[in-house]
Amino acid sequence: MEQSVDERSDAALMAGILAGDQSALGVLYDRHADAVFRLSYRLLGDRGLAEEVLQETILAVWNRAELYDPRIASLPAWLMTIARNRSVDRLRARGRRPALLSLSAAGGSAGSDGAALDAALAGGRLVAAAPMPPEPEAVVDAAGIRETVLAALAGLPADERRAIELAYYGELSQSEIAERLGWPLGTVKTRTRRALLRLRGTLAETLGPELGARVAPTPLPGEAPPGGIDGPR
Amino acid sequence: MDHAEARERLADALLAPRDGGLEAALADPSATGVELRAHLAACAPCSRELDALRAIGALLATAAPDSLAAPPSLRERVMAAVGETGAPAAAPIPLRPRRRLLPLVAAMAAVVVLVAGLAGGLALVGQRQEADRQVAELRDLMAATQAILADPAFVRIDLAGPGGSGSVLIGSSSGRLVAFSSTLPALPAGLRYECFIERGGVRTWIGWMHWSPDLAYWSGPVSGIALPWRPGDRFLVTEGRDGVPVLVGGS
């Protein structure tokens, strides 16, 4: 999303929001919504849920603006805290523990801010609107996972990488990928499947024994270990 | 469906997030979906393959590019929800007799016990893990329901419509809401039951319903609209974001 032409500072926007100025909230949305959405998506792996979290985060700002303290965290960091906690709530509701990520791992280029915020959270100093999860150990510090996945993607042949990125992040169908890249549909299918296989192989090797084992291809019933004959189909 | 077909279907679904990804493939009501579920229920290695693909999906999500943006249409919905919360709160609605809720809670408890019983009898690890997950979800739902019942200003709304019937419980003090129905039919892949509260003709999106066996539900804090519930408010469940209501209540 393009940066808003409104050049009010975040502090000025928060002052406006406290005064009930919805246009200030709109500017805040334009400035920060994409980052909040990305963080939630990286944590949840589901766009619908990430949309819910973004909506709740913006509403929390509107309804609880008085809780924001710029001495503790920057406005983006506060937004990320709320989004992270709402995302963790959803992971819990789905019966899944957030076993993979810390905020700093999911935050991409905002990593250092995220790490500082994690530290602030650990001190219990942040915002009643976004309480610290009662089980802080549930958010395993796994900085490096994102980098490992990015490296695995970067290691794919360029065509395979393009195919899997357009399918997974671009949400294009195989027909749409074929059209956009001028490839036959069969080529798209082959390249996305190969990309997935290759990615799994790399991640199984590079993620360490515990996580790596979770993503390694599962042998078919009766199938011999790698190098053996195919099992029954 | 054999192993190779099941795995191919799962891999293709993982890479089709717009269609709902793996979870949509698993909920697919078509013959292919039925065959896939039957295969997974009987094949522990393919169930493990499903778990591995879920993990791959979570890992891929962590690497989402910095160019990933919120959908443009979301801004309007969020700002409309903000406009709603700015309205002054109305007087609380009088309480209804609490005993009316007992059969409802008992029915939910029965579902939990049923699923838990099924989980105990399942032989395959994958099946048992899935059933355990569903039991955990339903217990969370039960806990949320009981918390709302303890709210001194809870409201119950009965839902009815082409989708059958359902109930909504709102804790006006806590701001929490649960909505559930055991009569809604399964939806095609990519479609979800979406919950809205309509006030003054404006719909505020609440969330989409999750599935456990025979029970569609949503549970969580209401942040898009000011509580307490007001006379004239309506709760709607629609097929998809822009679909027609299949359950309505509260007017």
Side-chain angles (χ1 to χ4, degrees):
Chain A
M1 190 176 290
E2 290 180 11
Q3 181 76 18
S4 166
V5 294
D6 191 313
E7 292 182 352
R8 279 181 282 178
S9 68
D10 281 344
L13 291 179
M14 288 305 290
I17 289 166
L18 268 172
D21 176 5
Q22 283 190 31
S23 76
L25 189 73
V27 175
L28 180 145
Y29 183 100
D30 294 339
R31 200 173 285 174
H32 299 297
D34 288 344
V36 171
F37 177 77
R38 255 190 319 274
L39 170 75
S40 309
Y41 173 72
R42 285 172 180 161
L43 287 168
L44 293 163
D46 182 299
R47 284 173 198 248
L49 291 176
E51 288 179 27
E52 288 181 15
V53 168
L54 171 55
Q55 171 160 326
E56 288 182 12
T57 302
I58 297 298
L59 284 163
V61 171
W62 181 246
N63 292 322
R64 309 298 294 274
E66 73 279 5
L67 294 173
Y68 172 62
D69 185 345
R71 293 167 302 179
I72 294 178
S74 67
L75 179 62
W78 187 53
L79 295 171
M80 296 301 176
T81 309
I82 298 171
R84 193 264 296 268
N85 286 331
R86 299 294 168 107
S87 298
V88 170
D89 284 348
R90 276 169 172 71
L91 287 167
R92 282 216 184 88
R94 292 196 319 206
R96 273 175 46 186
R97 294 171 71 80
L100 294 176
L101 291 177
S102 70
L103 180 63
S104 44
S109 55
S112 57
D113 207 6
L117 194 60
D118 278 343
L121 278 165
R125 287 185 284 132
L126 264 176
V127 298
M132 182 61 186
E135 302 164 44
E137 76 283 1
V139 182
V140 176
D141 183 3
I145 285 182
R146 176 177 152 80
E147 286 69 21
T148 305
V149 179
L150 286 169
L153 281 167
L156 292 175
D159 285 345
E160 292 180 13
R161 178 182 182 180
R162 221 164 164 205
I164 202 168
E165 287 183 342
L166 284 174
Y168 201 77
Y169 303 124
E171 292 204 317
L172 297 187
S173 70
Q174 293 188 329
S175 305
E176 289 165 338
I177 295 171
E179 190 176 330
R180 177 176 294 198
L181 299 181
W183 298 347
L185 184 58
T187 304
V188 175
K189 287 181 191 292
T190 307
R191 284 177 177 161
T192 48
R193 285 176 186 165
R194 273 193 197 149
L196 184 59
L197 271 177
R198 212 185 296 269
L199 195 68
R200 287 180 74 172
T202 305
L203 290 173
E205 288 174 10
T206 55
L207 277 174
E210 191 182 336
L211 268 178
R214 284 175 58 186
V215 301
T218 317
L220 289 167
E223 190 175 59
I229 57 169
D230 281 348
R233 296 276 169 127
Chain B
M1 184 175 283
D2 63 21
H3 303 301
E5 287 168 336
R7 289 169 182 227
E8 195 172 281
R9 173 81 185 108
L10 291 173
D12 286 349
L14 171 69
L15 294 176
R18 193 174 65 188
D19 297 331
L22 285 169
E23 306 312 318
L26 295 171
D28 179 5
S30 75
T32 308
V34 171
E35 287 179 27
L36 178 64
R37 286 191 292 277
H39 181 90
L40 291 172
C43 180
C46 287
S47 285
R48 285 197 295 277
E49 177 74 358
L50 169 62
D51 291 340
L53 289 174
R54 282 188 170 127
I56 289 279
L59 288 165
L60 276 172
T62 68
D66 287 342
S67 58
L68 187 77
S73 60
L74 187 59
R75 187 186 195 280
E76 190 179 343
R77 292 207 304 274
V78 172
M79 295 311 288
V82 166
E84 274 299 297
T85 64
I93 292 177
L95 297 184
R96 300 188 182 194
R98 195 162 292 202
R99 60 188 163 79
R100 280 188 61 199
L101 293 157
L102 290 177
L104 178 148
V105 175
M108 287 173 65
V111 173
V112 175
V113 170
L114 176 66
V115 177
L118 285 173
L122 294 176
L124 296 172
V125 173
Q127 278 180 313
R128 212 158 45 222
Q129 285 175 341
E130 175 60 15
D132 284 347
R133 185 188 64 74
Q134 290 171 347
V135 169
E137 276 188 14
L138 289 167
R139 285 197 170 127
D140 284 348
L141 182 61
M142 287 274 302
T145 304
Q146 285 164 346
I148 290 174
L149 296 184
D151 191 317
F154 78 86
V155 175
R156 175 186 174 174
I157 299 141
D158 295 320
L159 302 175
S165 61
S167 296
V168 180
L169 299 173
I170 301 174
S172 290
S173 305
S174 63
R176 297 193 73 85
L177 180 152
V178 297
F180 47 91
S181 167
S182 58
T183 62
L184 287 170
L187 283 176
L191 264 187
R192 292 163 168 165
Y193 287 112
E194 308 280 353
C195 300
F196 297 85
I197 292 176
E198 190 177 87
R199 174 175 292 170
V202 177
R203 282 186 196 178
T204 300
W205 180 65
I206 302 299
W208 52 266
M209 290 179 126
H210 298 259
W211 276 93
S212 272
D214 301 323
L215 189 71
Y217 68 92
W218 188 86
S219 169
V222 176
S223 52
I225 189 165
L227 293 177
W229 186 260
R230 302 176 188 177
D233 286 353
R234 295 202 309 159
F235 193 94
L236 301 98
V237 178
T238 63
E239 281 183 6
R241 284 284 171 87
D242 305 315
V244 294
V246 290
L247 292 175
V248 180
S251 58

